[in-house]
Structures are given as C-alpha cells and as structure tokens.
Amino acid sequence: MKKLVLAVAAACVSLAPISARAADDTIRKASGEQLKAEVKSLSKEGVVVEKSGKDETLKPFEVTAIRFADAPATMISIISQVINGGYENALNSLNKIDAGTLERDESKQELQYLKAYCNARLALGGASDVKEAGRQLNEFVKAHPNSYHFYPAHELLGDLAAAAGNFDAAANFYKVLSDSPFEEYKTQAGIAIGRSRLAEKKFPEALKEFDTALALAEKGSGLAAEASKQSALIGKASCLAETGKPEEGIKLIDEVIAKLPPEEVDLHARAYVAQGNCYR
C-alpha cells in the first residue's frame, strides 16, 4: 500500500510540468513569431519570459501583444485581426470579453490596451472620434505607466494629437520616445515628428527629422530597422516633393517601392501617396 501511494505521488509530480506548459502564455512578437512561454514580469523596459527553465528578456518593441493563459482562446485570433488591420471586428470581439472573468491584472491591462489601440486606429482612419480615442488611450497610460505598451501608446497619442491639429501636444508625446533608452524608439520618434512637421507644412524641419531618423535606422539591423529606414525615406521623398526637388523624390520613392515587402501595407500606402505628390 505504501509503495502504491508513493507511485501515485511520483506520477503526480511528473505530470506537474505538463500542466504548467499547458497554461503557458502566448507572446506575439513583432517578427510574426508566436512564442509559448511564461511571462514573469512586464515593464516599459521589456518583457521577461521563462522558457525551458531559462529567463529571456524581450525588448518592448519586440513584442506586439500577449495572450495570457487566463484569457479566452479567441484572444489569439483577435490579436491576429488587430495586426492585420481588422480593427472594427477585433474591437467587437474584445467588447464581448468580460474583464471580470480574467484572473490576472496583466490580462485586464492587455484587454484595455487593445480596445484603446483599436479605437485609436479607427479614429485615425476617420471611423471614430479622435478626441474620445485619445481620452481612452491616455487613461490607459496614466493607469499603467510601466506597461510594455508605454512607448507605442505615446506614439499613438502623438498621432491622434497631430490628427486633431494639435502639433505641440503631438511633439510632446513623441518626445517620450526620443527620451527612451532604445535607439529603435528614438528612430520612430524622428519619423513621427517628421510626419507631424509635414502636416504643418514645415518642410525643412521635417526633412531634418527624417534625415536624423534615417541615420539612426541605418545603424540598426533586422526587419524593424529596415522598416524604419523605408519610413524615413518615404518621408524624405515627401519633403523633396514640397521643396522643389520632385525628380529626386520620385527616384527615391521608386527605390523604396521596389524593396517594400507586400505585407507592409501601411508603408505601401504612404509610399504611393508620396509618389503621387512628387508627380503632382
């Protein structure tokens, strides 16, 4: 009998790691990879995960979203919708999730952010109110100042402020990225400020910002650095179109379009708008 009890106990112990793995969180990385691991901590400096007994720190810009183990399985498909630009459908699905059913504070934060993010994207596309979207996103930032979404949320707040014509406020939001310890966010800040200056028709200032961002992007490597480089070049071409050098802008933008991967839908749209402005 004693041997039987010990055998059952040993079996239970051996099953414990399997149960733990079954409850792993799902991290959707900016590269498109889905990582199954336990999220140990979150901050605006990064996301610490444990996989196979080892800790790994992911930089905040390397993580797009997280489906925590206590969230419904539908969250994975919702995150895919968000990434693919299906903001309205994603928001409808997010609104069906009762935050009260989520056990972890991290899950509740992720739900709040994704809702605010979708509303902001819809507002920038003209499908909802910019001020209300800004209010929701600002509410998230104030409630969770150490979120790994901290810097992307400020960039989006800047975009909303610029869309509302409040360029000074936009610059203040973008400055948060400029002051971050990450070169990638500094680059994004330069691009965002450049676009804001373009909207203000301050073309020489915008060109300066795009050149600075381009120099930073060229120091980096990987998909994110390449996307930033192309974004900066698109902005630069737009400036050339407005400063009497449209031929240079056309040459530049043609090179960008030839290199853009098909999945970069937003960059393609910006590139063709810039190309049209150069021809105009």
Side-chain angles (χ1 to χ4, degrees):
M1 183 65 180
K2 185 177 180 181
K3 289 182 179 179
L4 178 61
V5 171
L6 290 172
V8 172
C12 289
V13 169
S14 67
L15 286 173
I18 297 175
S19 299
R21 286 198 296 273
D24 276 346
D25 305 311
T26 305
I27 299 93
R28 180 66 180 258
K29 300 177 75 173
S31 63
E33 177 191 356
Q34 285 197 151
L35 174 66
K36 292 277 190 179
E38 179 190 351
V39 175
K40 296 186 71 176
S41 68
L42 298 162
S43 75
K44 61 184 179 182
E45 273 71 48
V47 177
V48 179
V49 301
E50 181 184 336
K51 186 178 181 182
S52 302
K54 295 181 179 179
D55 285 358
E56 179 184 355
T57 300
L58 304 173
K59 294 177 181 177
F61 54 83
E62 293 179 318
V63 180
T64 302
I66 301 172
R67 181 257 170 175
F68 294 94
D70 65 319
T74 53
M75 184 64 83
I76 293 177
S77 62
I78 292 171
I79 289 170
S80 293
Q81 283 183 321
V82 173
I83 291 169
N84 294 323
Y87 306 120
E88 188 171 358
N89 289 335
L91 186 58
N92 288 336
S93 298
L94 289 166
N95 285 332
K96 293 176 183 176
I97 298 175
D98 181 2
T101 64
L102 303 176
E103 296 177 5
R104 295 166 64 174
D105 288 338
E106 297 92 339
S107 288
K108 294 174 183 178
Q109 287 182 32
E110 197 75 0
L111 179 63
Q112 184 184 357
Y113 177 75
L114 288 174
K115 285 182 178 181
Y117 179 88
C118 287
N119 272 316
R121 287 297 179 192
L122 288 170
L124 290 171
S128 64
D129 184 66
V130 169
K131 288 185 179 180
E132 174 58 21
R135 185 195 66 76
Q136 291 180 23
L137 195 57
N138 204 35
E139 189 176 273
F140 172 84
V141 168
K142 287 182 177 179
H144 310 293
N146 201 34
S147 167
Y148 78 97
H149 292 301
F150 179 81
Y151 293 113
H154 275 82
E155 181 179 5
L156 198 47
L157 281 167
D159 293 345
L160 290 168
N166 193 343
F167 298 110
D168 288 339
N172 287 333
F173 285 125
Y174 296 142
K175 189 178 184 301
V176 172
L177 279 79
S178 298
D179 294 338
S180 80
F182 302 106
E183 292 297 318
E184 290 80 0
Y185 283 137
K186 293 178 188 293
T187 305
Q188 282 301 108
I191 294 168
I193 294 171
R195 289 173 181 167
S196 181
R197 297 296 183 230
L198 263 178
E200 288 184 272
K201 302 188 183 302
K202 294 181 177 179
F203 306 119
E205 292 180 30
L207 183 58
K208 183 179 178 181
E209 292 291 346
F210 287 127
D211 279 336
T212 300
L214 183 59
L216 286 171
E218 286 179 336
K219 292 179 183 177
S221 60
L223 295 175
E226 184 61 26
S228 294
K229 179 181 175 181
Q230 302 309 321
S231 292
L233 288 171
I234 291 168
K236 184 171 182 175
S238 297
C239 291
L240 291 171
E242 301 290 352
T243 53
K245 299 177 181 178
E247 293 84 2
E248 289 184 35
I250 290 169
K251 181 181 178 181
L252 192 62
I253 208 67
D254 285 349
E255 292 174 358
V256 169
I257 291 172
K259 293 180 180 179
L260 281 179
E263 64 270 17
E264 293 286 358
V265 178
D266 182 62
L267 287 181
H268 273 284
R270 291 183 183 276
Y272 282 112
V273 169
Q275 186 186 55
N277 287 339
C278 288
Y279 279 115
R280 176 177 56 78

